[in-house]
Amino acid sequence: MKNNFGTNISMTIFGESHGPCIGVTLDGLPAGFKLDLDKIDKDMEKRKAKGSISTQRHEEDKVNIVSGYFNGYTTGTSLTLLIKNTNTQSKDYSEIQYRLRPGHADFSAYEKYHGFQDYRGGGHFSGRLTAAIVAAGSICRQILESKDILIGSHIEQLYTLYDTPFSNEYPKLVNQIHLLNKKDFAVINDQVAHNMEQAILQAKDEQDSIGGILESAILNLPSGVGEPFFDSIESILSHLLFSIPAVKGVSFGAGFQLASKKGSEANDSFIMEDTIKTKTNNNGGINGGISNGMPILIHTCIKPTPSIYKTQETVDYKTKKAQKLNIKGRHDPCILHRARIVVDSMIAFGILDLLMSKNANNILEKETIYES
Amino acid sequence: MKNNFGTNISMTIFGESHGPCIGVTLDGLPAGFKLDLDKIDKDMEKRKAKGSISTQRHEEDKVNIVSGYFNGYTTGTSLTLLIKNTNTQSKDYSEIQYRLRPGHADFSAYEKYHGFQDYRGGGHFSGRLTAAIVAAGSICRQILESKDILIGSHIEQLYTLYDTPFSNEYPKLVNQIHLLNKKDFAVINDQVAHNMEQAILQAKDEQDSIGGILESAILNLPSGVGEPFFDSIESILSHLLFSIPAVKGVSFGAGFQLASKKGSEANDSFIMEDTIKTKTNNNGGINGGISNGMPILIHTCIKPTPSIYKTQETVDYKTKKAQKLNIKGRHDPCILHRARIVVDSMIAFGILDLLMSKNANNILEKETIYES
Amino acid sequence: MKNNFGTNISMTIFGESHGPCIGVTLDGLPAGFKLDLDKIDKDMEKRKAKGSISTQRHEEDKVNIVSGYFNGYTTGTSLTLLIKNTNTQSKDYSEIQYRLRPGHADFSAYEKYHGFQDYRGGGHFSGRLTAAIVAAGSICRQILESKDILIGSHIEQLYTLYDTPFSNEYPKLVNQIHLLNKKDFAVINDQVAHNMEQAILQAKDEQDSIGGILESAILNLPSGVGEPFFDSIESILSHLLFSIPAVKGVSFGAGFQLASKKGSEANDSFIMEDTIKTKTNNNGGINGGISNGMPILIHTCIKPTPSIYKTQETVDYKTKKAQKLNIKGRHDPCILHRARIVVDSMIAFGILDLLMSKNANNILEKETIYES
Amino acid sequence: MKNNFGTNISMTIFGESHGPCIGVTLDGLPAGFKLDLDKIDKDMEKRKAKGSISTQRHEEDKVNIVSGYFNGYTTGTSLTLLIKNTNTQSKDYSEIQYRLRPGHADFSAYEKYHGFQDYRGGGHFSGRLTAAIVAAGSICRQILESKDILIGSHIEQLYTLYDTPFSNEYPKLVNQIHLLNKKDFAVINDQVAHNMEQAILQAKDEQDSIGGILESAILNLPSGVGEPFFDSIESILSHLLFSIPAVKGVSFGAGFQLASKKGSEANDSFIMEDTIKTKTNNNGGINGGISNGMPILIHTCIKPTPSIYKTQETVDYKTKKAQKLNIKGRHDPCILHRARIVVDSMIAFGILDLLMSKNANNILEKETIYES
């Protein structure tokens, strides 16, 4: 359903880039969870535009919880949070109202909404809405962390630059995730981080933009989570990730590299350690749509931001005539460093919902284990 | 929800590889659509194991419609179709009941279902269930074709072999799709097709398996289809595609290649032809989750089949001890040629549902177009 | 969604009165529940037409589970059961295909399905489909009974005859429910039962039919079940009960009698016994949509069966001309005694789903109880 | 799902009685509908507490639309509206935090939310939330009215007083509805209205409260609306109506009176006028869950408000000891006159969603009518 997603916990989002506020309703949260509001602020901070590598539209992004929260705890009823839009410059858009921006939803929105859409700043299609998702995701992640489930991401690839990959060794991976979650610019290798920032600045100088790939990991997710056939972990997470503007590819484990592997290379052999594990993790911790206890590994491809300052060719929707387009306004030359916490948030929401579905199913009085 | 998916039309699947039958219920079909049962048979034929490049488990796959169908037409009530399992050899599985097959759902199913799952032939996780999806998808595709919407796929990559890509020119692409839809082994270039079949036979000789990538196209989908935020075309299709066993990656348009492109390269300029089109199609016909009238392009990565005859290392779930595993039974050295019609079917279902959602929204008396 | 209902457990029904079979898919059942097939048969028996007070269409109603069931236990995957239609006499209907039967769905089905509906025996609107619901409900009730939750109903009113009401004393009510669940004709007072059967026979003699009210109770449902705002117990149960053909009214506790009560009479005072209870139960065990631990009390009004043998006035849908209608075929002069187990089944399904939703929510590590 | 309901259009509600605001998100509205904000205000006015027959908590209930609305029209994206809580006196509640109010959700909320619920003024269970529903319903009703579909209600019964019933003659009924929709106190017969107001004042004097029954009608709904099996008109509307606090019974057409009717009395004969109609309307315009073109008739029983000033017996949740309870605060001695527009709003939402589902299904190129 359009702006609502989830089974046992659901997220409903609303708002437009230049409206009074954006927001989200989280429905189905357990009662009695103590929210760490500082953590929410810190997560919001990770998404904020800062410095010269991001847009100059700076928003305070103060999260205002207006329901479902009482005396410091979740109440168990629907929790709505609002975030004001304060720094809007709508006049930047009025003159290009009909000039379709390439790579943006302008044209398809006209076709769907017959011109009634709020076109200012991308309206409902703006990355601005992801601020609400980060706030909602922060709450979900706090609940998961209380159960030792850890989520983190890094910029695996930015344009033609590659970060140090996630470690195959679990304790090292845990450290990587902890370190990444403290960084604003989520890159494991600091030299690569520096180079990536330079690449962003160069793209900006060229009035252009660049994209890349985020790699994410979910640690300590118990085995047995995921609801095949249709609500496999892959299905739920990809559904959520592809809802993020600019995402054009999602894969799990070795992903598209599996196309050129043989079965004998791709299969993850089971080995006995403290529990049953797999020797390799080409399947990214998921078999048959269900977690197997290994780290869940996800790749999300984010296209270069379509708002570039270079002159572009386009068509005017009203006159149907070819036009030159010079985008004004304030835009990001790259969004990967800001999108990373959005990806983490979507993952957190999806995993929390799947965990709750697992709980739902646990209805029998005693745990029944089959003995043949 | 687990085995049910869809908003205005829904699909509910059931069955196990070695149970009496598998089946699917399509709910929400319009009344009065004349079904072409021959077309259903032909689509089933495309999925059938045939010759030496597929498993030797041959099933007749006769589709038996038991409800929602009367006098040759859909009735508008829930349509259930059943497909018998006839050629099962369950004894092949009893001796490896606890020996976890690498790359399969055996372990995660034990963790989720506590050993009560039907383990024979992969049970509910078997590719066998995709037969029901093909039958359901054939019905959906017939309805779409009555509206001139065309879906087709080819094996873009098989192991290290690559087919001729889809044409950027629309009339040529239409021809490619028409030709592909007549082929059992969906490869554009016949020489490549021959090489790919050889590669499958070689993998089989090596007691191994290979995977690859399917590229799919949806032609003539009107602009304005797709329900952002959460029910974008990408979200709905990826949700469905990742439900297919063995799929580990999904991308749209230029997909993961967008990571190393600049915005000025990735943006699809709008141009005016008979209607507004885009010059390139890096976004795969989708902007902001909504169709823009260009061909929808999808890539689906399918891992090599995990059932290989080579001896593998694993663990016995009961004894928790390391074991050698020699898989018996009848298995596919490659499933891309059979999976292609499954992918087409899932896409057809998802697109039909999104078209119906677009219809749902069309509630106002007169078409209202905003005039500023 | 049309033929599918439920959040954590869902029911999908399919079939027509004169098709090859009817059936239902239960999705979301826990794995490892041992099914008592005899109990299913006994529940089916309660719905069967028997003797002179019911239709002469007698069906064996053998339940055939084709998926989700293995070695005597549920597997946790979607469980589909099929029931054959064996005793159909479709020629009874062909001559009145266009003659709209008053009180039936004939006309509205024509308007909705444009004439493509399977009109034989009411098609998808037939009470026949409730056989599948009884089989599904029997499984749900078995799971609830393993948790000591008991469901039972009696014919509170039949035409102008009234049964002894449910007792206000809990142990007596338990006995009443146990006795009722052993009876085929679910009436507490045997003399009233005799009179009711006579009233049915008299209606039959008069080529007419009669209706009435079922009263149902759910015992031992824990407090705290129900998901306000929209998934209150009343909302979920009424949704399910109004799906049963012929149901035209649903109320809880004192129901419509509350209209003429004062607040001081209607309010159920809290009292302290072994736990907190209410002195009276005008709210039928539900406050704010959530169970309070008292018996849940439900009234379901079932209209007299519309198929009567008396000559009726109607219109021919094709000619649009007034017509006399003489219904042939085999019909029930009353369905309350058969509908009772259908009502129990719907209630069982709804309550099981709500219990699972409660479980879903129980995600926090330690039970957190607020201490001010 | 808890606080979200609907298929093609959905409503998500949030807020607590004494929080900063309440609100609702309507998702799935068509783009380009011109909203009449005055009409929304007028509908809000109908729900407002006014004069001596209602609570003295007076709220301005200014509706603030924060998304999905641009330049006077709906945009087609999720529309959220907020209503501030301004006139809260939370101290009235602190001293009775643990003293369970009979007839209220206090106890069941403790059991469900473990004490973390916002207990002030009933929190999320407060009738206060229905203000948001009225605003949402007003939007839905405006859309329906643009399609000539009319909804209206009257107080059929208040305590032991009865209004003139709805007319069986369609033009008279239309007039009744039009007149009712102009009245604040929705009673057809002015003398009865006066007597009812007196009865409310008397109940108030007695520190008590009274309940009653609302009768509602939907006029000009086309035939063929409703989605059997589970999404029958009765199922959808009862689901929504039972979500309203204090509703304990819902029936359609002759409702519970059908229990003592014979089939020959209850059946509505078809007659030919300008189109096919029924002579009587015992089925309330619904056959088989689908509209038949006659007025839809609905009865909703609302219990007397549980907040009465009379001393009541209860238990303290913390000490588990019996307590006297003297409710303070500001309360309604009767809510039927205020609940009427809430009932209309829920009906409007449900009918709009069902109309959209009918539209969704209309996917075939040409209208196909079966010709045998």
Side-chain angles (χ1 to χ4, degrees), chain A residues 1 3 7 14 16 27 77-78, chain D residues 1 3 7 16 27 77 80:
Chain A
M1 258 300 291
N3 292 286
T7 299
F14 51 89
E16 276 81 32
D27 192 18
T77 57
S78 46
Chain D
M1 258 300 290
N3 292 286
T7 300
E16 277 82 32
D27 191 19
T77 57
T80 295

Side-chain angles (χ1 to χ4, degrees), chain B residues 159-231:
Chain B
Y159 193 45
T160 55
L161 301 168
Y162 295 82
D163 191 17
T164 303
F166 275 157
S167 174
N168 291 325
E169 295 170 47
Y170 175 74
K172 282 196 184 166
L173 178 55
V174 174
N175 278 341
Q176 286 177 330
I177 299 296
H178 279 304
L179 283 170
L180 285 167
N181 282 343
K182 286 176 193 149
K183 290 184 178 183
D184 259 14
F185 195 83
V187 173
I188 295 170
N189 183 313
D190 289 337
Q191 180 59 48
V192 173
H194 176 77
N195 298 346
M196 286 182 175
E197 297 198 44
Q198 292 305 311
I200 296 173
L201 291 174
Q202 189 183 334
K204 188 184 171 191
D205 280 351
E206 295 169 358
Q207 303 198 310
D208 216 324
S209 66
I210 51 178
I213 298 173
L214 290 169
E215 184 178 29
S216 308
I218 311 169
L219 305 184
N220 306 331
L221 184 66
S223 57
V225 175
E227 300 289 335
F229 199 81
F230 290 112
D231 285 356

Side-chain angles (χ1 to χ4, degrees), chain A residues 97-140:
Chain A
Q97 178 181 352
Y98 297 107
R99 234 166 289 175
L100 307 169
R101 292 171 302 161
H104 272 288
D106 296 355
F107 174 65
S108 46
Y110 264 110
E111 296 290 292
K112 182 172 177 61
Y113 302 113
H114 311 302
F116 292 95
Q117 71 275 14
D118 182 350
Y119 58 83
R120 300 167 303 167
H124 193 63
F125 295 91
S126 169
R128 177 88 193 112
L129 272 83
T130 60
I133 288 164
V134 169
S138 181
I139 293 173
C140 298

Side-chain angles (χ1 to χ4, degrees), chain C residues 270-284:
Chain C
F270 289 101
I271 52 174
M272 190 64 208
E273 296 192 351
D274 52 324
T275 61
I276 295 172
K277 301 220 163 138
T278 66
K279 207 170 170 179
T280 51
N281 194 8
N282 289 313
N283 285 282

Side-chain angles (χ1 to χ4, degrees), chain B residues 1 3 7 16 27 77-78 80, chain C residues 1 3 7 13 16 27 77:
Chain B
M1 258 302 288
N3 291 286
T7 300
E16 275 82 32
D27 191 18
T77 57
S78 47
T80 295
Chain C
M1 258 300 290
N3 292 285
T7 300
I13 65 163
E16 276 81 32
D27 191 19
T77 57

Side-chain angles (χ1 to χ4, degrees), chain D residues 13 86 88 307 313 337 358 370:
Chain D
I13 65 163
T86 57
T88 54
S307 286
E313 303 293 327
H337 50 294
K358 183 181 162 74
Y370 182 66

